[in-house]
């Protein structure tokens, strides 16, 4: 079931250029710990396999003593875990966007970025469907705004055809037990028609609702000036009580 409205758009989708350390955690066994849903605790080596459109992420446990074979755990079996320097909870009930209209996420591993303030930030990493064929661009409009707002060196230019690429979205939460909301900045001027912008704005409104006491921050989000790259530091400043001053 698609939770975001979709629109056909012909442009390149952003995808991540992962650092070596990030790939090391995703592709090899890394020291960590895990608390299972039934309360049991595991210590040893872990490997987190990225979620795809076909399946959620899988956490593979390697017993460092070698007394038992590797075990695979689905998100529903895990309460929380730490892999290297990255900590994860299990969350869901949102859509991870891609070129096929989005991947509904029921339960999956969500990386904790910052939970110390009233607005918490998380990152969800997955393999999204990417195509450079114009006819394949059926995207949630929320992804369209978010992807092009990322900017920097993370734009995937592709050479044609179809493939899955590692990518991520940032999520916001108002506190423990509250819903995870995908971060969606407003469309930058000139990217969309007025009708397309109308489809995007409800998702943008779900984002700005976290910052009701900072109108200038809301305005910058609505105008696409707060990218995913900038979001964690912006939220951290907001949580300390710093409010943005209006710019002319």
């Amino acid at each position: 079931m698609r939770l975001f409205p979709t629109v056909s758009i012909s442009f390149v989708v952003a995808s991540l250029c992962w650092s070596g350390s990030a790939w090391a955690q995703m592709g090899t066994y890394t020291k960590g710990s895990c608390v299972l849903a039934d309360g049991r605790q595991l210590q040893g080596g872990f490997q987190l396999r990225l979620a795809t459109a076909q399946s959620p992420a899988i956490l593979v446990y390697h017993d460092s003593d070698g007394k038992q074979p590797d075990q695979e755990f689905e998100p529903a079996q895990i309460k929380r875990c730490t892999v290297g320097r990255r900590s994860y909870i299990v969350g869901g009930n949102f859509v991870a966007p891609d070129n096929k209209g989005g991947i509904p996420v029921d339960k999956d591993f969500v990386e904790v970025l910052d939970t110390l303030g009233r607005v918490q930030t998380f990152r969800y990493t997955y393999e999204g469907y990417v195509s450079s064929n114009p006819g394949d661009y059926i995207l949630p409009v929320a992804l369209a705004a978010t992807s092009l707002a990322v900017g920097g060196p993370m734009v995937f230019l592709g050479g044609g055809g179809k493939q899955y690429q590692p990518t991520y979205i940032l999520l916001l939460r108002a506190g423990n037990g509250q819903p995870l909301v995908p971060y969606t900045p407003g469309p930058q001027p000139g990217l969309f028609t007025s009708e397309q912008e109308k489809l995007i704005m409800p998702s943008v409104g779900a984002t700005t609702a976290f910052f009701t006491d900072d109108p200038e921050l809301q305005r910058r989000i609505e105008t696409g000036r707060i990218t995913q790259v900038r979001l964690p530091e912006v939220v951290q400043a907001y949580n300390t009580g710093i409010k943005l001053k209006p710019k002319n």
Side-chain angles (χ1 to χ4, degrees):
M1 178 179 179
R2 294 177 180 173
L3 302 185
F4 292 145
T6 59
V7 61
S8 179
I9 305 171
S10 297
F11 57 74
V12 178
V13 178
S15 186
L16 290 182
C17 294
W18 282 86
S19 66
S21 61
W23 274 117
Q25 293 198 29
M26 295 296 180
T28 60
Y29 289 109
T30 303
K31 185 177 180 180
S33 61
C34 174
V35 178
L36 303 182
D38 61 12
R40 287 183 294 153
Q41 298 187 23
L42 300 176
Q43 301 277 346
F46 292 88
Q47 177 188 124
L48 184 59
R49 298 176 183 170
L50 294 183
T52 69
Q54 290 75 34
S55 65
I58 295 295
L59 185 68
V60 183
Y61 169 61
H62 176 73
D63 180 10
S64 54
D65 294 332
K67 295 181 179 179
Q68 56 184 345
D70 291 352
Q71 301 178 64
E72 295 186 356
F73 295 97
E74 295 183 354
Q77 298 174 278
I78 302 295
K79 185 175 182 180
R80 62 181 180 273
C81 63
T82 298
V83 182
R85 296 181 179 181
R86 298 172 184 263
S87 296
Y88 299 86
I89 61 169
V90 173
N93 197 29
F94 59 86
V95 171
D98 72 355
N99 282 141
K100 284 190 173 180
I103 303 172
V105 179
D106 181 22
K107 286 186 178 181
D108 215 332
F109 298 103
V110 175
E111 182 184 354
V112 177
L113 297 184
D114 188 351
T115 57
L116 297 180
R118 53 179 171 161
V119 178
Q120 304 174 351
T121 53
F122 302 83
R123 175 164 49 212
Y124 178 63
T125 304
Y126 61 104
E127 289 192 0
Y129 178 87
V130 175
S131 173
S132 56
N133 294 328
D136 292 331
Y137 282 86
I138 309 299
L139 292 118
V141 290
L143 170 63
T146 303
S147 295
L148 291 188
V150 169
M154 298 190 294
V155 177
F156 171 72
L157 296 178
K162 309 168 185 178
Q163 55 188 311
Y164 283 86
Q165 294 286 330
T167 189
Y168 76 86
I169 56 173
L170 295 188
L171 306 165
L172 298 172
R173 189 174 75 175
N176 295 339
Q178 296 301 308
L180 291 166
V181 178
Y183 173 65
T184 307
Q188 296 179 2
L191 287 181
F192 306 105
T193 67
S194 58
E195 290 302 314
Q196 291 167 351
E197 289 183 356
K198 289 179 181 178
L199 295 177
I200 297 172
M201 293 315 293
S203 295
V204 178
T207 291
T208 57
F210 285 90
F211 310 104
T212 54
D213 57 346
D214 192 338
E216 176 62 18
L217 176 54
Q218 288 183 314
R219 187 179 71 84
R220 294 189 192 184
I221 292 172
E222 290 171 349
T223 54
R225 295 168 62 186
I226 306 297
T227 66
Q228 286 201 116
V229 174
R230 290 192 57 205
L231 181 67
E233 65 179 83
V234 169
V235 172
Q236 189 176 49
Y238 173 82
N239 284 335
T240 62
I242 298 175
K243 293 186 178 182
L244 297 178
K245 296 181 180 180
K247 289 185 176 181
N248 295 331

